[in-house]
Amino acid sequence: MKKIAIILSGSGVFDGAEIHESVLTMLHLEQLGARYQCFAPDIQQHHVINHLTGEEQAQQRNVLEESARIARGNIKALSQLNVDDFDALVLPGGFGVAKNLSSFAFDGAQSSIYEPLKHSCQMFAQQQKPIAYLCIAPALIGHIHPAGTLATIGNDEQTAEAVNQLGATHVACTVDNIIIDSKQKVISTPAYMLAESISDASKGIHKAMQALIAMA
């Protein structure tokens, strides 16, 4: 049975991990016969958004504590992730990836990445273990993998150009499909960069998890 690590970035599309993408990842992995363990960095969120109004709130939240909501409490700090214990890795999307795990939401092509996350991902890559990046998470690929690694965030030209400038090679992709870089063992799918419903998001994520397990 394959064991997959999932790295979350909070709870909620606008300031953390995209909840539907995170849950669909867990569901499809389980249905495909794999086990998973969630992780998240024990750091403060960049900011907190009221998901009802879209307005920023004057409060602080912890990425690990918020991610625990999605994982039903079964989660570990990113610092506890031992690559040797897992066959593959998944990073669901959501603005937490672009605000908490990196500065992509603010700096685009000049963005930086949270170094402990970069280290963990590169350890998976060095051991030739596959990684799936969902939604906006492929914006991290240029920080982690060799120049030219294939990636997709769907078809948004401005975001795609920033992905290219960071060193990845963007490939346009429909919501129900995936892009695979077989050499680097990197899988990406647009999910809610394009999805108009949870069913839409599910199609590409299911394919991505199938490919991830096959590659592992």
Side-chain angles (χ1 to χ4, degrees):
M1 183 183 281
K2 301 296 183 188
K3 195 169 182 192
I4 316 299
I6 303 171
I7 297 178
L8 302 177
S9 59
S11 178
V13 57
F14 299 122
D15 57 13
E18 213 297 320
I19 295 172
H20 294 181
E21 291 173 2
S22 302
V23 173
L24 286 168
T25 294
M26 297 174 203
L27 175 65
H28 289 310
L29 285 173
E30 189 175 286
Q31 288 178 337
L32 291 162
R35 288 187 298 154
Y36 63 82
Q37 174 65 51
C38 294
F39 295 87
D42 188 2
I43 56 175
Q44 293 302 114
Q45 285 185 194
H46 172 76
H47 60 194
V48 178
I49 299 292
N50 179 326
H51 280 61
L52 189 61
T53 64
E55 293 173 1
E56 189 174 340
Q57 294 181 296
Q59 57 178 266
Q60 284 194 321
R61 294 191 187 181
N62 178 279
V63 173
L64 178 58
E65 289 176 12
E66 289 299 296
S67 299
R69 294 174 179 272
I70 297 176
R72 293 173 59 87
N74 183 14
I75 193 166
K76 297 178 181 180
L78 179 61
S79 59
Q80 294 181 272
L81 173 53
N82 183 351
V83 178
D84 296 338
D85 295 339
F86 295 92
D87 300 297
L89 174 65
V90 186
L91 279 85
F95 271 103
V97 172
K99 292 175 176 178
N100 303 328
L101 304 185
S102 73
S103 65
F104 187 79
F106 318 108
D107 303 324
Q110 279 70 52
S111 62
S112 59
I113 184 172
Y114 179 60
E115 281 296 329
L117 173 78
K118 180 178 180 178
H119 175 73
S120 292
C121 293
Q122 287 184 332
M123 289 296 288
F124 273 90
Q126 284 168 17
Q127 293 190 20
Q128 296 189 309
K129 294 177 177 179
I131 308 179
Y133 298 85
L134 315 181
C135 190
I136 195 61
L140 303 177
I141 288 172
H143 287 292
I144 294 161
H145 300 278
T149 300
L150 301 182
T152 191
I153 48 79
N155 58 19
D156 182 81
E157 289 183 13
Q158 191 176 357
T159 310
E161 180 54 32
V163 168
N164 286 334
Q165 287 180 33
L166 281 165
T169 296
H170 185 268
V171 182
C173 182
T174 54
V175 69
D176 59 347
N177 218 334
I178 60 176
I179 297 298
I180 299 177
D181 188 310
S182 300
K183 185 179 179 185
Q184 302 303 333
K185 293 194 172 182
V186 169
I187 302 157
S188 50
T189 190
Y192 273 103
M193 291 296 288
L194 290 178
E196 293 181 5
S197 68
I198 193 168
S199 299
D200 266 359
S202 182
K203 293 170 190 170
I205 293 172
H206 179 67
K207 282 185 182 176
M209 295 309 105
Q210 279 183 312
L212 186 79
I213 291 170
M215 214 178 266

